[in-house]
Amino acid sequence: MDLSSTVDSLMEGLTADLVRLAAIPSIAFPGYPRAEVERAHDLLVELLRDAGVEHIERIDLPDTAPVIYAEVPPPAPDAPTVLLYGHYDVQPPGDESLWLSPPFEPTPVEGGLRARGIADDKSNVIAHIGVLRAYGGRPPTGLKIVLEGQEEYGSAFDDYPPTDPARFACDAMVIADMGNLRPGTPTLTTGLRGVAEVVVEVRTLAEARHSGEFGGAAPDALLALLRALAGLHDERGDVAVQGLRREEWQGASYTEEEFRELATVADGMPLTGSGSLGERLWSGPAITVIGLDAPAVDGAASAVVPYARARLNLRVHPQQDPREATDALVTHLREHRPYGIELTVTPSDAGPGFEPATGGPAYRAARAALREGWGSEAQLAASGGSIPLVNGLARAVPDAEVLLFGAQDSMCNLHAPNERVLLSELRGAVVAEAAFLREYAADFKAAGGRR
């Protein structure tokens, strides 16, 4: 079977279906119409049926958009089963004035299409449909297809798989909520950082007092908070909290020029921290101040500030327990006591990172498959983001190999204005995933049906 030619013949139809799906504002955040999420669900059920899938279920959990669960039986007793994952909900568009075209009107751009969610993650959902079509609904492996409807906001589904492990039992998983380091560079994501948040508060006075009469002796809450925040990093910008794991990064990474462009760093502005970009972004910690409550500059009174607070976002090494990391940050802040002032530090929920084993037959098959999809050797990279469901699936099926790749690329503007997907990346993802099923099935059969 010539997969490349087959997928080429399917691209017009896949592109049309991607446009249909991306035109649906399937935002699962509170305050947005749930009917649009249901509409995307129904379209995907229709596409799966049209692609030859007969067994399709709907999983309904409390306060959670419906999860599509589908099965294609293995073609033979010695064929493996692969779980394919994606999500059909999307981020809100944000400030629509920053978009060059309406976010839910898929618009052609050079080499691709622009719309909210068209890369993250609807392109990858359509890639799964493309693989089914490429095999006429009869792939060389069994399939379990899981399409989530509330990944971006988070839901009870994150913790559901370990409660129903038989449903998700498989030999390998393709988590298609990722993509390439850069367009045309096939990439396997082999690390996801863990995440936690902490709120830091300082109250020093019952109420504001005149800065001329009291400033200089009355403790300023904002100054104390700023001094505490400044102590989280050293003079180079590296995290200075003891107990946070950091290691050298051995895989592929961005060039500094690529990263500057991706992060929209101003000309002449130095980057923060030391060491390789991979180490700073993926195998080391990061602490970001994501919110600050303090008097606004406009209309500010000449007064000593009595209260201030900040919300910190902590990202940690994929293998570090995020609760351990959170405890290290909380301890650092509580012991700091700027000017002798006690801080109130409140941690919130923490999500673990993930680092899959990469030495098994599924990874061997994936390397060959990605080479077929994009024409060059696969690179190993990581992500600073988190996919909580991956840990739930890994707990449910601990022996399954977990692969993270897909049709996105690091320049697609996911979660940002003017998100786009390149059709060349969609094509590569369909070819690679289809080739992976073929290669993995052959390896599995040669091993006598054993991992």
Side-chain angles (χ1 to χ4, degrees):
M1 181 180 180
D2 183 350
L3 280 177
S4 293
S5 297
T6 299
V7 172
D8 285 340
S9 71
L10 296 172
M11 282 302 296
E12 182 177 354
L14 292 174
T15 301
D17 287 327
L18 178 57
V19 167
R20 291 172 65 195
L21 185 60
I24 301 174
S26 50
I27 304 167
F29 283 61
Y32 290 89
R34 184 51 61 100
E36 298 293 357
V37 178
E38 293 277 356
R39 192 155 68 96
H41 168 277
D42 294 346
L43 173 56
L44 287 172
V45 170
E46 174 191 328
L47 293 177
L48 286 168
R49 290 201 189 283
D50 289 347
V53 180
E54 298 176 359
H55 183 126
I56 304 175
E57 299 178 31
R58 170 178 170 137
I59 300 175
D60 285 300
L61 299 173
D63 303 315
T64 299
V67 177
I68 299 169
Y69 174 83
E71 290 185 2
V72 177
D78 58 356
T81 294
V82 176
L83 185 149
L84 305 179
Y85 168 82
H87 66 86
Y88 62 88
D89 65 306
V90 303
Q91 281 279 323
D95 184 351
E96 295 193 24
S97 69
L98 300 177
W99 285 76
L100 300 176
S101 55
F104 294 104
E105 292 182 13
T107 302
V109 297
E110 184 177 356
L113 295 164
R114 178 174 57 235
R116 167 55 85 227
I118 202 160
D120 179 22
D121 189 43
K122 291 179 176 178
S123 60
N124 285 319
V125 172
I126 292 297
H128 295 329
I129 301 294
V131 170
L132 288 165
R133 290 178 183 173
Y135 284 115
R138 298 293 180 266
T141 70
L143 293 180
K144 294 186 175 182
I145 303 167
V146 179
L147 305 179
E148 186 181 1
Q150 198 168 303
E151 190 273 345
E152 296 291 6
Y153 183 71
S155 75
F157 188 58
D158 289 346
D159 299 315
Y160 176 74
T163 71
D164 191 7
R167 180 189 293 274
F168 302 97
C170 60
D171 299 289
M173 307 178 194
V174 175
I175 307 298
D177 193 12
M178 283 291 163
N180 290 339
L181 189 63
R182 59 185 66 86
T185 300
T187 305
L188 287 163
T189 298
T190 57
L192 302 171
R193 280 200 295 199
V195 61
E197 290 191 355
V198 168
V199 173
V200 191
E201 299 176 86
V202 186
R203 181 172 292 282
T204 55
L205 309 172
E207 59 187 18
R209 281 291 181 263
H210 191 293
S211 58
E213 295 187 15
F214 297 93
D220 185 317
L222 183 54
L223 282 178
L225 178 61
L226 293 176
R227 189 172 181 88
L229 298 180
L232 295 173
H233 297 83
D234 64 20
E235 66 280 358
R236 298 171 299 182
D238 291 320
V239 172
V241 176
Q242 295 297 313
L244 297 183
R245 184 170 173 179
R246 176 171 173 160
E247 297 174 354
E248 290 186 14
W249 174 250
Q250 302 296 333
S253 185
Y254 305 113
T255 66
E256 183 170 324
E257 292 71 22
E258 286 174 329
F259 181 77
R260 284 179 169 278
E261 181 178 356
L262 288 169
T264 66
V265 178
D267 290 344
M269 182 68 63
L271 300 185
T272 304
S274 62
S276 72
L277 281 172
E279 186 175 335
R280 281 179 273 176
L281 298 172
W282 302 325
S283 61
I287 300 174
T288 305
V289 181
I290 60 172
L292 185 67
D293 289 341
V297 172
D298 293 341
S302 297
V304 179
V305 175
Y307 174 78
R309 69 173 180 167
R311 181 177 293 276
L312 309 181
N313 181 268
L314 170 66
R315 302 283 172 159
V316 300
H317 187 285
Q319 291 187 333
Q320 182 163 28
D321 184 333
R323 293 166 297 184
E324 173 189 81
T326 303
D327 289 345
L329 175 57
V330 169
T331 298
H332 176 95
L333 287 165
R334 287 177 177 166
E335 291 180 348
H336 194 68
R337 299 180 62 87
Y339 313 120
I341 296 169
E342 184 175 351
L343 308 176
T344 300
V345 187
T346 307
S348 60
D349 291 340
F354 184 74
E355 189 168 274
T358 60
Y363 266 83
R364 291 197 299 270
R367 288 174 183 272
L370 267 67
R371 183 170 58 246
E372 186 169 339
W374 279 278
S376 59
E377 294 296 324
Q379 303 291 307
L380 302 183
S383 172
S386 304
I387 307 177
L389 180 67
V390 173
N391 293 281
L393 288 169
R395 291 198 306 274
V397 197
D399 292 333
E401 291 185 72
V402 181
L403 307 163
L404 296 101
F405 67 91
Q408 302 169 21
D409 68 82
S410 63
M411 303 175 186
C412 69
N413 283 349
L414 74 166
H415 292 208
N418 303 306
E419 181 179 349
R420 65 100 180 101
V421 70
L422 297 177
L423 297 180
S424 59
E425 297 300 285
L426 175 60
R427 176 194 179 277
V430 177
V431 173
E433 189 174 298
F436 167 70
L437 299 185
R438 182 198 66 214
E439 294 292 316
Y440 188 48
D443 183 276
F444 202 85
K445 182 176 181 179
R450 299 183 302 274
R451 283 194 293 273

